[in-house]
Amino acid sequence: MSLKKKLIVATRPSLLAYTQTMQTVELLQKANPDIEFEVKKFSTQGDRVLNRSLTEFGTTGLFVKELEHALLEGEADIAIHSLKDVPSFHPEGLKLVAYPEREDSRDVFLTRDGVSIDDMPQGFVLGTGSPRRRVQLSDVRPDANFKDIRGNIHTRIQKLQDGEYDAIILAAAGMNRMGIGFDEEMLIDVDLCIPAIGQGALTIETRDNDLECIAIVEKVNHKPTQLAVLAERAFMAEIEGGCKFPLAAHAVVDAKLMNMIAVVGDLKSGDFIVESIEVPIEDSVAKSAELARKMKAICAEKGINFYQ
């Protein structure tokens, strides 16, 4: 097979997206020293519209559609996404090929003076636009006043420092990739706040008929990460939900087993359910979808409407 000499890599323009793209390109370059990678920025709807909560948009794929269009139009050969931004169903003609090793998938609770969530004062203002964080952390601190927040990591941290919020929640993965230090004690345990589906993971997308490009990209795939996130995405596809709804699933795999913990809830009522499974790796996708169906049935029985 005659390998391509140069590949165009599509990325979002935000500092975090560009940084994690360059980190991934470094992996690709090491695995493919004879290939040149050129990074090209494409602004997405999610990047351009910053005055609205993500839950207000009536569509999915706010951070990926323009990159996928570039792939389909031949303007780029590969696109690098934060996996949590990628809908469970993507356009015909494209394929998620590789998943580099996952970063820390947990959330971080940040305050100006390092106070834990348990020790925050009554009625403190907590910045997050995530329904799945709100429904879970409301159970921990029902007195918290949740306030939507948008912007990149540095913007959000500055808003915290400026006093617009008493605390904010950020993904540990983004902070680690940006080299922003934080106290390990501020990490929120998965059992307390289950991470978003795909959180901490990246994915590399290509055209599904570009065999040369697929062969190049597959070299950086991390199998344990792939197995875990495919199970999580199978759960998401069966639930038929995204970031607009309070749901989450987090999987971990070892040599033989996959462990998954998942949550679905009703943002209006604050009700939610948590279930977990431990299954053989070879059954992980099917059992994750089965878990989603089970949880939907429990929600229907209990009157929990998470599609709100």
Side-chain angles (χ1 to χ4, degrees):
M1 182 168 56
S2 175
L3 293 180
K4 297 177 178 179
K5 298 297 183 182
K6 181 177 180 179
L7 293 179
I8 305 298
V9 183
T11 184
R12 290 172 51 210
S14 77
L15 183 56
L16 174 58
Y18 182 74
T19 298
Q20 63 193 24
T21 291
M22 295 307 296
Q23 292 168 350
T24 305
V25 166
E26 185 177 350
L27 294 177
L28 287 165
Q29 191 70 76
K30 288 180 179 178
N32 302 277
D34 297 331
I35 305 299
E36 178 185 353
F37 297 91
E38 178 185 334
V39 177
K40 188 174 180 180
K41 297 177 181 179
F42 295 86
S43 181
T44 68
Q45 184 182 11
D47 294 307
R48 295 188 296 270
V49 183
L50 296 175
N51 60 348
R52 294 169 59 191
S53 167
L54 294 178
T55 58
E56 294 179 30
F57 290 88
T59 184
T60 59
L62 295 172
F63 295 105
V64 303
K65 283 186 177 180
E66 285 81 355
L67 276 65
E68 292 180 328
H69 179 76
L71 291 177
L72 292 170
E73 293 299 311
E75 298 175 42
D77 299 296
I78 68 176
I80 297 174
H81 310 289
S82 290
L83 187 60
K84 65 182 179 61
D85 294 333
V86 181
S88 54
F89 302 100
H90 52 281
E92 184 178 351
L94 300 181
K95 179 180 182 180
L96 301 181
V97 174
Y99 307 84
E101 186 171 2
R102 193 176 205 168
E103 250 287 0
D104 194 323
S105 58
R106 291 172 290 179
D107 288 321
V108 181
F109 182 82
L110 291 181
T111 65
R112 286 182 292 278
D113 45 13
V115 177
S116 71
I117 190 169
D118 291 329
D119 294 329
M120 291 297 289
Q122 285 287 314
F124 73 99
V125 178
L126 178 54
T128 179
S130 164
R132 61 109 191 155
R133 286 170 175 158
R134 285 186 61 179
V135 77
Q136 294 181 89
L137 295 178
S138 289
D139 192 55
V140 180
R141 288 298 303 261
D143 62 299
N145 288 309
F146 290 90
K147 181 180 176 182
D148 193 50
I149 187 169
R150 291 289 310 276
N152 61 38
I153 291 176
H154 290 95
T155 298
R156 296 183 189 205
I157 292 175
Q158 189 60 53
K159 288 180 178 181
L160 170 66
Q161 296 299 332
D162 291 343
E164 291 186 45
Y165 305 87
D166 298 314
I168 60 174
I169 308 291
L170 293 175
M175 297 185 71
N176 286 338
R177 290 188 178 116
M178 293 295 293
I180 301 173
F182 58 86
D183 191 329
E184 291 289 310
E185 293 181 358
M186 305 311 286
L187 284 164
I188 303 176
D189 190 79
V190 169
D191 291 334
L192 193 66
C193 189
I194 301 168
I197 290 166
Q199 184 159 310
L202 304 177
T203 187
I204 307 175
E205 188 173 27
T206 72
R207 292 179 289 276
D208 61 9
N209 62 355
D210 192 340
L211 301 183
E212 290 181 328
C213 191
I214 289 172
I216 291 167
V217 169
E218 282 180 333
K219 293 179 183 179
V220 301
N221 187 58
H222 184 250
K223 193 66 175 178
T225 295
Q226 180 184 31
L227 291 169
V229 299
L230 288 181
E232 293 171 17
R233 286 173 62 77
F235 177 90
M236 179 171 70
E238 189 66 36
I239 286 284
E240 300 177 313
C243 66
K244 291 180 64 176
F245 309 114
L247 65 93
H250 182 253
V252 177
V253 300
D254 59 22
K256 296 181 179 180
L257 297 173
M258 181 213 65
N259 287 273
M260 174 181 282
I261 185 169
V263 60
V264 293
D266 183 333
L267 193 57
K268 289 185 177 180
S269 70
D271 297 327
F272 65 92
I273 60 170
V274 176
E275 296 285 337
S276 62
I277 54 172
E278 181 179 81
V279 298
I281 286 176
E282 58 270 22
D283 298 331
S284 58
V285 168
K287 292 297 184 181
S288 297
E290 184 178 304
L291 176 64
R293 291 191 291 273
K294 173 186 175 182
M295 293 180 76
K296 284 201 291 187
I298 294 174
C299 284
E301 181 181 333
K302 294 188 173 183
I304 298 175
N305 181 13
F306 53 90
Y307 295 116
Q308 298 192 63

